Every structure is written in C-alpha cells, then in structure tokens.
Amino acid sequence: MVIKYYVGTSLLYLPFFALAYAGSYFLGLPADGYSILFPVFISIGTLFYLISGFCYFNKFLSYYNISPWIKCFIFGVMTFGTTAFYYVVNAPGWAHICAFALICFLMYHLKKMVTDFHKTSIPAIIAGLSILFFTRPTDITILLIAPFLALNFKNLQETFRRILVEKKTILTGMLLAFIPLACQLGIYKAYTGHFFIWSYKNEGFNFTHPELMKVLFGYAKGFFVYTPICFLSLFGLIPLYKMNRRLFSGIIIYLSLTIYLISSWWCWNYGSTFGPRAFIEHYPVFFFLLALIIQVNGRLLKITLITFSMLLCALNLFQVYQSLCGILDHDFKTNSKGYWNVFLSTQNGYSGKFYRFPVDETEGNIVGRKCWFNDMEKTDSTWLNPTTKSPLNAHSGRFSSEVNKNNCYSIGLRKNLSELRYAKNVVIRVSGWFLVSKKGSGSFFVMCFKSKGDNLNYNTFNLDGYMLNTHKWEYQVFEMYMPKFTKTIENEHAVQAEFYYFNNSPIDCFVDDLKIEFIEFKKMDRVLDLNWNEGIL
C-alpha cells in the first residue's frame, strides 16, 4: 500500500502538526495524530493559508491600482461567497486552500518580476512551483499567465536576461525545490522499493471526453451553480480586454486549459465533498476579474454588483448549511429536479432522492436478476424481525412492518454473498412503500454488507429526507452498486448482505411491499466508481 496523495499538503501542514504534537506531549494527551489538538491546529493552519493567500493577492492587486475598499470587499466575498468557506470552517486540512495560497504567492512574485525586478523572487517562484506541483500537480498551469503579465515582449525579454544572470539565486531556488521532490521520492522508495510510481492506480484523465457541461453547469457539482459569483466575475474580461489585451489573452488560455483539465479527470465531480472543490485554488484569477468590474466607473454599477455579490454570499452560506444538514447531496446524485426541490429549504429534504443510476434496462442488456418481495401479509421465516408486523397501518392488504423505539428494526432480509448476483455490473435496488408519521424521526433504510459482525460496506438512506409528505404512504427507491471485496474476504464465505428499515425514535414509521433486487447488466456506466478495478477492502 502507498499513500496516493502527494507530499505537498503534508509539508505545508507540518509546522502545525508539530505544534499539536508538542502540545499533546506536554499536556499528557495522546500524541497519535488524532487527539483534540491535532484537528485544532490543522484548522488553524488552514485559516493561516487562507489569510496568507489574501496577503499576497492584496499585493498582486496593488499592481493594478485596485482601491483598498474594493480589495476588502473582494476578500469578503472570496471568503463567504465561495466553497472556500466550507473547506476552511467545516472541512479543514484539504490541499485546496494551501494551493490557493501558493497561487496567490506565485501571481504576486511573477508580476513583481516583470514590474520591479528583484532577485529574491527567483527562488520564491522556483520553490513555490515545486511545492505547488507536489500539492496539486495540475495547478502549475498558473505559469501560463507569467509571459502575459509583462508589459510587452521587450519587457519579457529583459526580465529573462536579468534572471539568467542570477546563477547563484537560481541554484538556491533549485535546492529549495528539491526538498519536496526528495521527500516524495523517499516515500515511494520506502513503501515500494521504486523511486517512481503512479500512485493514482486505475485513476487518470479522459482527455477525449471532458465533462465540460457537468463540471461548469451540472446540478451535481457545477462550478457556476454552486459558485455563481465566479460566473459573474467573467464579465471582468470586458474591462480587462480594454485595459490589457495581452493579459486578457493569457487569462483566457489559462482558464481554458484549467477547466479542460478539471473536466477531464475520471471523477469529474471530485468525490463526496461539498461543491466544486477543484476550482478553489483558481479563485485569485476569477476575483481579479471581479475587482476589475467593480473598479469600473459608475455608481449604479458598483451598487448593483455589491448588492448582487452579497446575495450570492448569503446563498453560498445557506447551501453550506444545507450540505451540513444532508439536504444537498455531497456526491453526484443531485439533478435539476432535486436541486430546485430543496432550493432555499430548511426542512428535512434530500436533493438526491430523484436520482437513478443511468442504466439500459432493456431485456437485451440484462444478464439476469434475483428478487425478493414481501407484502407483509404472511409470516415468512426467511425474513428478519417478523414480530414487527403490524395491523395498525398498511399500504396494501392488512399488514405492514412498524418500526419505532420499541422495535427498531423492520422486517428485513439477510442473504449470504453466495446467494446473490455478485458481479461487476450489478445494481442493488430496493423499492417499497413507506409512511413516516411526522417529521424528525431520523429513520433510515439500511443496505449493508457484513463479515463476522463487522461492516464491510454500510449505506443509509434517510427517510426524513426522501419523503415529500409525512403521514402519507410514499413509494421510494434506493440504489447502490454491488461493492467489490478483496479475494481474502470473498473466500471467507462469511459475507452477508442485510436490508432493513431502522427507527429508534418514538415516531411510528411503516414499510410495506418491500422489494429487493439484484440486477446484472451486460453493459453499464458505473458513474465515477472504480470499485471493481481493484478490491477496496
């Protein structure tokens, strides 16, 4: 096993980790990386890099005579109007805020190099690019902007000439740049015996099919859907074109390549996290454009932009709240219907409840299926928890399965892995009729795989979020892919699948006409899932 992520983030957080380690040691806390001081100091470190990024971005904006009040406003909307807020406050420790600070740092020194040359910027740029590469490799596209920051071609030539003269300074920068490289190669060698490996095994870019529309405008993780203030900033290209056509061209090239690379990654939504996190480090360019719009003369335009920007900040904070409450799906399951169904809603809901896996269900594409159905009318010993059968409420017939704090587990199903269709292109689909007496039950349907009492794969579907109405029977469908287990676990013959409705609240909930299907397809798009490329457990 080798850690697939690069060392840059670890190196940047190392001082804060060290402080947490020392503090834990002196306070008698476990110095294991998990006790209370470690998340505290990583949070402090994330905030530190956000503020550091602002400091260098402030210096960069000064080269374009951006008013101090506009800078303050820009820093405010970058903080509260984008997903950066979530990754500083709610999910600190990711690479993106660090990369954001590095890009701000590089933009400042690249501009300084061509405007008021100073040799200290040379090692800063070389070392900065190195640590950025080992933090987020594709982010070194920021270097594309460098030639366009110069006033003209003559200015660029003169800068290169002055750089080449500073041989000792270049060597210093290269020595600093070697530090993250040495750490990365050392880790690979220690873990695998090889200096060079591709740690993102079975992952990569699909350059011929970039998901441009999904990445920019999709309801699952669309950049301009979840960070609309960045779409507004693109209008800054108009004043930029009038002011500096050279830089206009550079930013167009940079943004085009960056969006293309982000859209080409196999997991175009970048996993189960809130919003389009891959764009965070590129905010400086977008908000440079926004600053240019606000800088344009016109009182009415300024008031309109500021008002609209503040409304978008409020929308972003509200959607962060929805994400934390499980109302907005973190992964890929939000479609247009789901997004607008929970838009500005504080009620329990779930934007992914309308999503269905995109599969061709024509008979020619179905290899086979296994199905179990229980209408709750007869006692069947092959099903779990028959004592929850209740005559109090039913969707069809006379009985349903009632769950509350007295009987937490509904009538459910447990099957050995050998009894199921265990293959790559299998969708597990559970459908049935559910009734939740009132809001706040916290009840959920469970689809899980266990071995010797330990959970191997555990999935819950929150009924409070799925139900459109309470005290009414509603038909619900839950889906998941058949997970892949290692050969060791497969050979244990102890793996079991379990399906049941769980509720430990005093609110009465019911399930009826429960159907559990395992459907195997010849061809199927697994939608951002590499489970069967390599066992995950």
Side-chain angles (χ1 to χ4, degrees), residues 380-401:
D380 187 338
S381 61
T382 62
W383 288 72
L384 307 171
N385 311 316
T387 57
T388 63
K389 191 166 78 168
S390 169
L392 296 179
N393 216 323
H395 171 259
S396 65
R398 296 176 53 210
F399 297 97
S400 67
S401 178

Side-chain angles (χ1 to χ4, degrees), residues 385-390 392 401-411 441 501-510:
N385 311 316
T387 57
T388 63
K389 191 166 78 168
S390 169
L392 296 179
S401 178
E402 179 184 11
V403 283
N404 51 39
K405 65 179 182 179
N406 298 318
N407 292 287
C408 299
Y409 300 90
S410 75
I411 288 176
S441 71
Y501 186 24
F502 178 84
N503 173 32
N504 64 353
S505 77
I507 299 172
D508 294 329
C509 299
F510 302 86

Side-chain angles (χ1 to χ4, degrees), residues 279-311:
F279 283 94
I280 291 174
E281 48 265 46
H282 306 288
Y283 286 163
V285 175
F286 287 97
F287 283 90
F288 167 59
L289 296 175
L290 184 61
L292 293 180
I293 310 176
I294 301 175
Q295 185 86 335
V296 172
N297 291 328
R299 182 180 177 84
L300 180 60
L301 177 62
K302 283 182 171 63
I303 293 173
T304 302
L305 286 171
I306 290 171
T307 302
F308 194 51
S309 297
M310 292 177 70
L311 290 173

Side-chain angles (χ1 to χ4, degrees), residues 83-104:
T83 53
F85 178 88
Y86 180 89
Y87 288 94
V88 173
V89 177
N90 301 110
W94 287 76
H96 304 284
I97 301 298
C98 295
F100 163 81
L102 287 167
I103 285 181
C104 291

Side-chain angles (χ1 to χ4, degrees), residues 223-273:
F223 179 43
F224 295 136
V225 173
Y226 287 84
T227 317
I229 199 165
C230 287
F231 182 79
L232 176 65
S233 74
L234 292 179
F235 289 97
L237 290 169
I238 299 171
L240 178 62
Y241 180 79
K242 296 176 180 178
M243 179 185 76
N244 189 333
R245 294 187 182 183
R246 183 182 181 85
L247 184 55
F248 171 87
S249 302
I251 286 181
I252 290 292
I253 293 169
Y254 165 76
L255 290 180
S256 299
L257 181 59
T258 296
I259 292 170
Y260 173 69
L261 288 173
I262 291 173
S263 304
S264 298
W265 186 243
W266 76 273
C267 185
W268 52 264
N269 77 3
Y270 291 79
S272 184
T273 51

